[in-house]
Amino acid sequence: MAVEWSDTILIANLADEPALSDELALICEKVEAAGQPPHAVLDFAEVSYINSSNIAQLLRLRKLLDASSRSMRLSGVTDDVMSVLMVTGLDKVFKFAPDTLTALAGLQLSDAD
């Protein structure tokens, strides 16, 4: 599940439910416990659907990271998951990347600014 790529970026390769809820909860706990949390890249390539609880967890994680001036990227989002995010209007709230490497590059570039 969660793998630290560096001290400043956390990469999480997420899976479908029921693991997804547990993984997102663990990431939120890690971010809350950290003095200066890392940026986060959440890889949704293996996630085929999300529910309202998952959406609430993503919004909570985004809020925690924003409070510490950290960013989050969702990568590899499947069409089914993206359609849920679009219907809820969250496609305008989250930042997306086609894959993990692109998400990492985007975070590193924004960190350099």
Side-chain angles (χ1 to χ4, degrees), residues 4-97:
E4 286 193 46
W5 183 71
S6 73
D7 291 341
T8 59
I9 299 176
L10 173 126
I11 301 173
N13 299 312
L14 303 173
D16 263 333
E17 284 293 356
L20 180 59
S21 291
D22 295 337
E23 291 170 346
L24 291 173
L26 185 66
I27 293 168
C28 284
E29 288 173 18
K30 182 174 183 154
V31 167
E32 282 180 317
Q36 178 64 26
H39 294 289
V41 174
L42 306 180
D43 183 1
F44 276 80
E46 300 298 319
V47 178
S48 60
Y49 70 94
I50 57 173
N51 58 39
S52 59
S53 175
N54 303 140
I55 291 171
Q57 289 174 304
L58 287 171
L59 289 169
R60 178 175 170 234
L61 178 58
R62 181 180 178 273
K63 182 178 178 181
L64 290 169
L65 291 170
D66 280 351
S68 298
S69 300
R70 299 316 238 173
S71 299
M72 178 172 70
R73 298 280 196 286
L74 308 183
S75 69
V77 177
T78 61
D79 290 341
D80 291 336
V81 172
M82 184 57 87
S83 66
V84 171
L85 295 173
M86 289 175 70
V87 166
T88 58
L90 294 174
D91 60 316
K92 303 202 180 7
V93 172
F94 296 113
K95 293 182 180 178
F96 299 92

